[in-house]
Amino acid sequence: MTKWVYAFGDGSADGSADMKNLLGGKGANLAEMSNLGLPVPPGFTISTEVCTHYYDNSKSYPGDLETQVGDALGKIESALGRTFGSVDKPLLVSVRSGGRASMPGMMDTVLNLGLNDETVESLATESGDARFAYDSYRRFITMYSDVVLGVDHGEFEEILDNYKVDRGYRLDTELSADDWKQLVPMYKERVKDVLGEDFPQDCQAQLWGAIGAVFNSWMNPRAETYRRLHDIPASWGTAVNVQAMVFGNMGDDCATGVCFSRNPATGENAFYGEYLINAQGEDVVAGIRTPQNLTKAEREAAKGELPSMEEAMPETFAELCDIREKLERHYKDMQDMEFTIQQNRLWMLQTRSGKRTARAALKIACDMVDEGLIAQAEGVMRVDPMQIDQLLHPMLDPDADKEVVGRGLPASPGAATGAVVFTAEDAEAWKADGKAVILVRTETSPEDIGGMHAAEGILTTRGGMTSHAAVVARGMGRPCVSGAGELRVDAISKTLSCMERTYKEGDIITLDGTTGQIMHGAVDMILPELTGDFGKLMEWVDTFRTMGVRANAETPLDAETAKKFGAEGIGLSRTEHMFFDPERIVHMREMIMSSTEEQRRKAVDKLLPYQREDFETLFRIMEGRPITIRLLDPPLNEFLPHSEEELQEVADAAGVTLKDIKIRKNQLDEANPMLGHRGCRLGITYPEVYEMQARAIFEAAVNVGKDGVKAVPEVMIPLVGMKSELDMMADVVNTTADAVKKETGADFEYMVGTMIELPRACLMAEEIAETAEFFSFGTNDLTQTTYGFSRDDAAPFLDVYHRKGVMEGDPFMTIDVDGVGELVKIGIERGKKARPDIKLGICGEHGGDPASVHFCHQIGLTYVSCSPYRVPIARLAAAQAALAEKG
Amino acid sequence: MTKWVYAFGDGSADGSADMKNLLGGKGANLAEMSNLGLPVPPGFTISTEVCTHYYDNSKSYPGDLETQVGDALGKIESALGRTFGSVDKPLLVSVRSGGRASMPGMMDTVLNLGLNDETVESLATESGDARFAYDSYRRFITMYSDVVLGVDHGEFEEILDNYKVDRGYRLDTELSADDWKQLVPMYKERVKDVLGEDFPQDCQAQLWGAIGAVFNSWMNPRAETYRRLHDIPASWGTAVNVQAMVFGNMGDDCATGVCFSRNPATGENAFYGEYLINAQGEDVVAGIRTPQNLTKAEREAAKGELPSMEEAMPETFAELCDIREKLERHYKDMQDMEFTIQQNRLWMLQTRSGKRTARAALKIACDMVDEGLIAQAEGVMRVDPMQIDQLLHPMLDPDADKEVVGRGLPASPGAATGAVVFTAEDAEAWKADGKAVILVRTETSPEDIGGMHAAEGILTTRGGMTSHAAVVARGMGRPCVSGAGELRVDAISKTLSCMERTYKEGDIITLDGTTGQIMHGAVDMILPELTGDFGKLMEWVDTFRTMGVRANAETPLDAETAKKFGAEGIGLSRTEHMFFDPERIVHMREMIMSSTEEQRRKAVDKLLPYQREDFETLFRIMEGRPITIRLLDPPLNEFLPHSEEELQEVADAAGVTLKDIKIRKNQLDEANPMLGHRGCRLGITYPEVYEMQARAIFEAAVNVGKDGVKAVPEVMIPLVGMKSELDMMADVVNTTADAVKKETGADFEYMVGTMIELPRACLMAEEIAETAEFFSFGTNDLTQTTYGFSRDDAAPFLDVYHRKGVMEGDPFMTIDVDGVGELVKIGIERGKKARPDIKLGICGEHGGDPASVHFCHQIGLTYVSCSPYRVPIARLAAAQAALAEKG
């Protein structure tokens, strides 16, 4: 018999922390906390296998699930001496989702389950607080109706608002027990109106309804969006946690809170958190009330007026501090914990590895190594390579003039400038138009995730450091200022009012998520310092890493940045990118549009000095590091003139008529430029172009050589599918090299290799490697041809694919290991047959994607090459891959 | 020591017929003829390995070649009692190319080599004919200068023309021995003027110059074009044959001729040929003089006035008849022989398997089987599948009205209608514009090959049945009328004059290459009879064949044709081709351009009845044969409206504004439609379209079922790259099938499978086959993505690739075994892992290409599918593949 249900609580558990895949993160940690003897409300976890079974079997449960749930419920009942659905000491439970990976706010939760017209009376009697009991009941009706039955919570808010207006109440706190008691039948009536059915009074029906709702929510659009953005496969499924309720809202000896064993924003080794007296946990997380500080130090630093937990509940706080110690020592990582205090008794509801900013991740990793808690290798493994991206981007220039127009909580570090927009949809639409935007909301909700991703930064006027906006923004690496209460957002008129100023949609503001400041207009930014913890970690990284990291760069600025970020060379220098300068593009066009070799040679000769100078500059910057130079590659249409004016300009430069040029343009237009006349096809049809480029490279090498600078060019022929193509082009390069050597009397080293970016090139790699001294896998193009979709055109249908669950992730971001990856492996294996010491690199976008870097390490590439800003990410990912391999 | 040189003649030889790869076809057959004891002028063959060595080593020869050539030359000298370069009985030789495959007229030849100012005198004395000797010398100077030294033969024609004008001569025959003697120094002077060097008098220098010219001609553009058109790899190289000269032009007891052991046009078992008295062999082949018949019967049939060889030289003719018998019995195939009679002595210069028309090939194969000369299997192997194409195309309707405006030789059978053009370049240009043309020339030369290929038919006013035009046209399967002497061609004014009419460029005429008639305008055509020899052979074919053959068809006409040609089913029915009808395309466009599912459903519903009717018709025609129906596949842009009018029409049909439609069109435009929103991507984004198509298929199956017609639909999902795509679409199909079964209460069989046309699909074939019940390899698209070039855009650069020798053949015509082929093999292997009995087909253009059909047989496909007219070709090729496998 399959075990579907795992009990926990009461100092022991069926599961443990290493059963995350089966029990979800939350369930596994509840089990682990129970095993550690911590005070966990008893409960049980329905495993993720049930979710898989549910979706594999037309949403039905395994046959023996009901029995197992009944048994587990019985254990809770005996542990607490309560009975589910009984009027005598009724057991109330929460029902929560909990997947393998944390998905904050994405899954639905039901609290206070087990309340009905009878048990609510028992709760009132037992707690001695009828107001609490009926408030809980109406909360339960609202939440259950919304989440399980699909009745919008607005229905109940309307009833409540009318009720308050009729009686002249302003705040919920003004309502008495009697008021709530009167409201309950009105709520139930509304459910019946909407659904044509009574609100369920049977607690078992409530329970199974809630369990079904959790499983169903796994496939809701919000969850799907989150998974898409975080590359979580739909196949993982979610677990369901059913746990005895404990109440933080039974009076002033009750509280609820969220705390971190270290500061998740700065990484400082200081207990950090927020709590609310007489509140449910959801109140803290949802950001509806602004919570109080956990520690006295925090309260003082924040100039808070309400007492910290350390001051208000010193004994329980001490107990919590012990637990913090215990959990951090146990997990050897910073913990994010949720707790509730019911009538002065502390209950731990959850612990998990805490989300943190990149800065915090770095500091915590370095500190824990220094503290001897973890080894250097473990420290390196602790930092998410994707996350350190935020450390590598510009921040506010401290010397810049700035007009601060408001202030909020420093919820997610980094600075951002953009146009104000007021809805997630607008953020996505403006972003799609290429505009940088700041998403401004009263508070964010899971529906806003797409817009938050599209925005450069997020500003909310409500919510704390652990509000939805703050948590999600930190995860995404977006700067965020939350709880900026002095600002006013009017989403209808689309205005943001500060003390002195009012911003309309499209007006520019700047946020600093590190300080919480909101500034008028754009503010100057600077590059971050790459020393301190960052420098320390990157030093460790390089001791573990075995694969090289290069950058894709052609401009001097890119090359300088790459060098600064630790690139060991340039893995892809796209010569055509050097031609977009207005001074040059006319000659480029003249070259493309020549109909005779003679015309073409004339144009090409004009480009030679520019190219030579470009390469000299690169050689000087890279100081002897290898540079892979790709000869002219792109579909020519990328360079074609469009306007009448541009066409005339080219006609003049080439000395032909406008009509000639127009005819030529028509000849050059292609149905599918991506599969057209490009890459080495250009070199074969117009050898004089590659000859000029080779000459520019070699003359530049000779010139810098005179100043003692060593040039190490690796000349790369693009888009080769047949050995004969490479042979002919290698001939052109070698002949040119010989000519330059003879003309100048100087010697220089170089290599000739090819880009492997077509399926056929992978299959023919053995033959091709007879000529190629190196391979650089161009996985962008290889992805296009392997899947048969063009990056320019795929977005509309890939979007549908993601929504319909046909595809997870983006193969242009993370390499498709099964398809493209296999071709790369075939290419490597066959290439090595012909040339065992062949140099192997990758230069697609994948070179800067951590998961892809892992793959590149596994298959034995010599190096990856990525955009300059991604170099540290690739270095870290490469180190993690090497460490993972060691085990 | 490598043997580079192989001697022959004198009743024995170093080589034999099975050494074709080494000695070339001509060399191997000369050796074989010598071994058979036939009268072959002695000589030697320099092997093809020397050619390879020559190109692999910067055009230099193996070190010991010179010695081996010297030895072999010595053998000729002793056999004939002559000495090369000696004034005493000088030996003259011919130097000819000879590759593995026959390349008529493509390679350069030098005759009379060994003549110089001294040996010419010996020749005059020995032959007693000074006119013959000096004519030979001036011919040699002309030919050698043209071919070896690069002096245009026009230079010498100019001298000759001036000389004749000065002396009032009209014909060459009016020139005396003295005239030729006077011309020789003038020719030599001209060589010196052009080259600055004397014409070589040293015979060894002449010999090595000619050998080098043969090797160099292997890479000349004419040879490259021929190889490209005939898929001959450049790596094969050519051999060089050096052979003692024999003279057909030493007087009236001399002759030269070409003969076939059976009639190469009809296949009739009758000796057939042409000869010229007192002429060199080149005179026959070049078509400069119209030759005489070989046999009396032929002369009588042709109403010729000049005596046949049978009549003029009965003894030698009898000897030739014996040789004909001997050679045909030896080779068991129809032979094409060249001979020369020198002073009544017969010399065999060449024998080879004779080129023949498809009709002749069929008849000869069937006759030889009947005669017991070869087995049925051998008969099947004897017919070139590519060639029978000409039998399957329309011919003149015998009942059609026609105005015959001229008559020529029936040089290559079949009929053709087209616009008159006068140059090969024009033929290619008009063809590129999609026009059918008839190439009209006085005579053709190897430079015209591209234009002959582009033309529907060829008409020449000079030359016989073995002229260049006739031989090449037969090989290409182009109808040809040659030697139509009563017509006049003026290539300058571009006119063709018949007795009553004059045609300008672009005027339409019709040729019948089977009768030699030239007709005014277009003439009605009919389909050929597929009975007789054709039917007999195809019966044998089907007994040997193990692989199925289906057709690609969607119209009733195509399906009928396919059935008639023996297709065992439809392998590809492209549903979108059913939508180009004007009545339907507007709804198709409406569907494509809908922005909402509701709009789309409306349009789709309008298409349903059409589709259902289409399928009913197909099911009825195919009578229970399986039909693979591919759901909507093409890039949508193929259906987009373009003109304002079309756009308005769609807007009206969809009930939206013109502006809406224009916006939608912009949204749908793609950068690379081939890699865009097409194939199953359409089905996934617009499932209602596939649902409609599935419904149409199944409802049609139910409807025809009521009439007792069995429908066997195989529903094919196109462009699948991921199993999840197929799963989702298979669900749509299966759900629809269930619905139709339920609605109608009828049952029907069907399969769901996929097209494997992306590299990723090949790699993922095991997974995909879990769902797919069949695979059909779409090798058109697979070729595009494997090579990364689009069929629409590749022509310009592939043309350069062919010219520069980067690539041989066309991977869209014949499958690229190394690249695309490997992916297909991977797909098969993996697909079978998941589903050992999976049905495997191919439906790209390759399904009708014999070489590709061989490959498909080897890798174990269940069937190939090709265009209806190619079905017999595929059947034959499949039988040959099965026979080849048996060995």
Side-chain angles (χ1 to χ4, degrees), chain A residues 541-558:
Chain A
V541 155
D542 286 347
T543 64
F544 295 119
R545 178 163 66 87
T546 56
M547 185 169 60
V549 175
R550 298 193 189 182
N552 302 342
E554 41 274 329
T555 65
L557 178 63
D558 282 351

Side-chain angles (χ1 to χ4, degrees), chain A residues 240-320:
Chain A
V240 181
N241 296 295
V242 178
Q243 193 176 20
M245 283 295 299
V246 288
F247 294 95
N249 56 344
M250 254 188 193
D252 288 346
D253 57 353
C254 298
T256 192
V258 173
C259 57
F260 294 86
S261 63
R262 302 190 184 211
N263 186 309
T266 64
E268 199 192 344
N269 187 357
F271 201 18
Y272 175 91
E274 297 170 329
Y275 85 117
L276 275 169
I277 289 181
N278 198 11
Q280 289 233 52
E282 301 301 303
D283 299 335
V284 183
V285 176
I288 292 167
R289 279 164 61 187
T290 300
Q292 298 160 236
N293 300 110
L294 196 73
T295 64
K296 190 172 168 225
E298 281 180 276
R299 181 186 63 75
E300 285 169 352
K303 302 203 172 68
E305 287 171 14
L306 293 170
S308 67
M309 181 177 167
E310 188 174 3
E311 294 157 306
M313 299 173 149
E315 279 170 38
T316 325
F317 177 76
E319 195 185 342
L320 188 62

Side-chain angles (χ1 to χ4, degrees), chain B residues 496-794:
Chain B
L496 167 70
S497 310
C498 305
M499 284 155 294
E500 295 118 289
R501 291 184 179 274
T502 298
Y503 297 94
K504 298 186 308 296
E505 186 181 56
D507 290 345
I508 303 295
I509 63 170
T510 297
L511 299 183
D512 186 351
T514 315
T515 63
Q517 288 177 328
I518 301 134
M519 285 143 287
H520 179 70
V523 178
D524 288 346
M525 309 235 179
I526 52 157
L527 285 175
E529 279 299 320
L530 299 176
T531 51
D533 288 332
F534 180 85
K536 197 193 268 183
L537 187 90
M538 293 312 286
E539 262 177 41
W540 299 342
V541 156
D542 286 348
T543 65
F544 295 118
R545 178 163 67 86
T546 57
M547 186 169 59
V549 174
R550 298 192 189 183
N552 302 341
E554 41 274 330
T555 65
L557 179 64
D558 282 350
E560 294 280 12
T561 307
K563 198 168 66 170
K564 194 182 60 197
F565 281 146
E568 294 155 315
I570 292 180
L572 177 62
S573 179
R574 288 153 289 209
T575 52
E576 62 272 11
H577 283 214
M578 300 170 169
F579 291 127
F580 282 111
D581 188 277
E583 194 175 31
R584 304 175 177 194
I585 192 148
V586 61
H587 301 307
M588 183 71 187
R589 286 177 173 155
E590 187 187 337
M591 181 193 86
I592 295 167
M593 306 192 78
S594 303
S595 3
T596 67
E597 187 186 324
E598 194 196 337
Q599 267 183 34
R600 202 155 38 236
R601 277 210 178 271
K602 234 179 66 191
V604 159
D605 288 347
K606 294 181 199 162
L607 289 168
L608 175 64
Y610 294 119
Q611 283 263 283
R612 191 172 46 222
E613 207 188 305
D614 292 334
F615 295 131
E616 282 186 31
T617 309
L618 279 187
F619 290 147
R620 289 183 203 279
I621 292 171
M622 295 311 288
E623 299 169 310
R625 293 177 184 83
I627 304 184
T628 309
I629 299 168
R630 182 178 71 186
L631 302 188
L632 191 68
D633 174 61
L636 287 185
N637 70 330
E638 288 188 12
F639 289 98
L640 286 184
H642 295 288
S643 68
E644 194 85 351
E645 204 183 339
E646 286 172 345
L647 285 160
Q648 183 65 57
E649 200 181 28
V650 176
D652 293 345
V656 299
T657 67
L658 182 61
K659 197 183 150 202
D660 287 340
I661 285 292
K662 284 186 177 168
I663 289 169
R664 183 74 181 140
K665 180 165 185 301
N666 278 338
Q667 285 174 349
L668 291 174
D669 276 339
E670 294 182 310
N672 299 286
M674 197 53 80
L675 302 177
H677 196 178
R678 50 173 295 233
C680 68
R681 297 161 196 168
L682 297 169
I684 287 167
T685 47
Y686 313 141
E688 52 283 1
V689 178
Y690 275 20
E691 191 189 310
M692 175 278 281
Q693 295 197 301
R695 174 167 286 275
I697 292 166
F698 298 132
E699 289 183 354
V702 171
N703 289 350
V704 301
K706 290 178 193 154
D707 302 333
V709 175
K710 189 170 155 68
V712 189
E714 302 171 344
V715 182
M716 180 156 74
I717 311 300
L719 212 71
V720 161
M722 296 172 261
K723 177 172 184 285
S724 56
E725 293 174 314
L726 179 61
D727 285 348
M728 184 171 278
M729 294 300 94
D731 258 5
V732 169
V733 174
N734 292 328
T735 307
T736 307
D738 291 346
V740 173
K741 283 182 184 173
K742 208 170 155 192
E743 287 159 21
T744 60
D747 201 12
F748 47 83
E749 285 170 32
Y750 69 98
M751 291 172 93
V752 180
T754 186
M755 199 132 164
I756 301 286
E757 51 187 331
L758 295 172
R760 198 175 192 280
C762 297
L763 298 171
M764 295 290 107
E766 186 174 350
E767 271 193 23
I768 292 172
E770 287 167 14
T771 303
E773 294 174 273
F774 64 87
F775 282 173
S776 179
F777 288 91
T779 48
N780 294 350
D781 273 53
L782 192 58
T783 300
Q784 294 195 106
T785 44
T786 302
Y787 271 102
F789 48 56
S790 114
R791 218 153 42 134
D792 296 336
D793 302 309

